[in-house]
Structures are given as structure tokens and as C-alpha cells.
Amino acid sequence: LTIRDLFNLALIPSYNSAAMALTRSTGLTAEEFAAKMNERARALNMTQTKFVEPTGLSPDNVASAADLLKLAQIAFTQAEIRNATVRQEFTFQILNNKRSETVKNTDKLLGSYLNIGAGKTGSLDEAGYCLISEVIGPLGQKVMIVVLGSLSDADRFQDLKALAQWAFDNYSWY
């Protein structure tokens, strides 16, 4: 696979093996990479965040909703990240056998009535089902929503829809 394929596989179907392959491509160990992640988190004033490995699969990785919002606000300014996170599917070619594969995005709100500008799913037994999305309202208003600890895959999307609806019904943009 190419580096670009690994990038897309980490963001679109949330393949943690792709995130680890990207880590290895840097020449750093997982621990060294996590240390760089922690340095970046501190630079972003993410005071309630600690990474111990790069995939997010360890329950020892911790972050608050406020810190995840800070990270998403920076990450979603990057066109490559925004574009990847809103792709409903991604097709790539395995280089050594020329076989093509297509994977689906884990974000089930893509293509729904909500206009998702960017987003990322995640889940872990200890954290529940999580979702961070930028939702664009009918007048172009943008709301960033962080959902942590939903009880199921479906619940995280329902939770985000309810929060988005509440925001657009109750907040006035001037």
C-alpha cells in the first residue's frame, strides 16, 4: 500500500493496523511516536490528554471532550483530513498483487440529512462509542460536536443528531 492509502485507511474505515503501519513508516517506535503525540497535545494546550500508543486502542490513552474538540478543530482545517473523513467509501490497490479493495466509512451520518463537514468515529470498551463531527447547518452555520461514551454504534449517531438538532434549534448566529 502507499502511504496515502494507509492515511485513508486509518481515517475512513478506522483501520488501526493502518495507523500502526504509518507509525512504523516514520522510523519511530510506537512509544516514541506516542511521545511526539503528547508533545503536540501539550502544544495545543490539551491538558487532559495522555497517549501511550498511536492507535487509540489502549484504555491508557485518555482525553477529555474539550481536548478532543481542540484536536478536531485543528485537524479538520487540513483539507486532506476533511476530505478523507467525509468519503463514504475508499478504493485502493494492493501493490504486490494489483488487487483492488473497497472499504466503507464508519461514519453512518455521511449521506444522511445532516451535512457533515468532517468527522471521526472511535470506540473502546472503556470509552464507549465516540464521534466527533463538524455539522453544517441550513444557513451554513458550523457546529462541532463531541460525543463520548455512547452505549452502541447506533447510539453515537443518534446522540450526535439530537445534539445537532438542539444546537440549530436553540442557538442564534448573527
Side-chain angles (χ1 to χ4, degrees), residues 7-15 80-91 102-111 116-122 131-133 153 156-157:
F7 172 83
N8 282 300
L9 289 169
L11 290 174
I12 298 168
S14 293
Y15 284 4
E80 298 86 0
I81 293 173
R82 288 181 74 80
N83 294 338
T85 65
V86 296
R87 290 181 71 163
Q88 291 190 34
E89 64 181 31
F90 175 66
T91 301
T102 299
V103 293
K104 304 265 186 228
N105 198 311
T106 52
D107 188 341
K108 295 177 181 154
L109 293 177
L110 297 176
I116 303 297
K120 184 69 188 87
T121 62
L131 176 62
I132 300 173
S133 293
D153 181 49
R156 68 176 150 195
F157 301 112

Side-chain angles (χ1 to χ4, degrees), residues 115-171:
N115 183 1
I116 303 297
K120 184 69 188 87
T121 62
S123 65
L124 197 62
D125 288 343
E126 294 81 359
Y129 291 85
C130 306
L131 176 62
I132 300 173
S133 293
E134 177 191 82
V135 183
I136 303 168
L139 303 175
Q141 325 91 304
K142 294 180 181 179
V143 175
M144 293 286 289
I145 299 172
V146 178
V147 173
L148 301 178
S150 292
L151 297 178
S152 71
D153 181 49
D155 283 348
R156 68 176 150 195
F157 301 112
Q158 292 301 330
D159 293 344
L160 189 128
K161 287 192 289 188
L163 289 166
Q165 190 64 50
W166 182 90
F168 292 123
D169 287 348
N170 292 287
Y171 188 80

Side-chain angles (χ1 to χ4, degrees), residues 34-46 51 71 74:
K36 295 282 187 190
M37 292 169 65
N38 286 317
E39 286 175 24
R40 183 69 172 138
R42 282 191 298 280
L44 295 174
N45 199 30
M46 295 170 62
F51 299 108
L71 180 61
I74 297 296

Side-chain angles (χ1 to χ4, degrees), residues 27-96:
L28 299 174
T29 66
E31 294 79 18
E32 292 167 334
F33 197 89
K36 295 282 187 190
M37 292 169 65
N38 286 317
E39 286 175 24
R40 183 69 172 138
R42 282 191 298 280
L44 295 174
N45 199 30
M46 295 170 62
T47 59
Q48 297 175 318
T49 296
K50 178 183 86 169
F51 299 108
V52 297
E53 55 80 44
T55 67
L57 288 177
S58 171
D60 293 328
N61 289 324
V62 293
S64 67
D67 279 1
L68 291 172
L69 177 62
K70 290 174 187 176
L71 180 61
Q73 287 173 321
I74 297 296
F76 293 164
T77 65
Q78 302 302 308
E80 298 86 0
I81 293 173
R82 288 181 74 80
N83 294 338
T85 65
V86 296
R87 290 181 71 163
Q88 291 190 34
E89 64 181 31
F90 175 66
T91 301
F92 61 98
Q93 187 175 64
I94 300 167
L95 297 176
N96 61 345

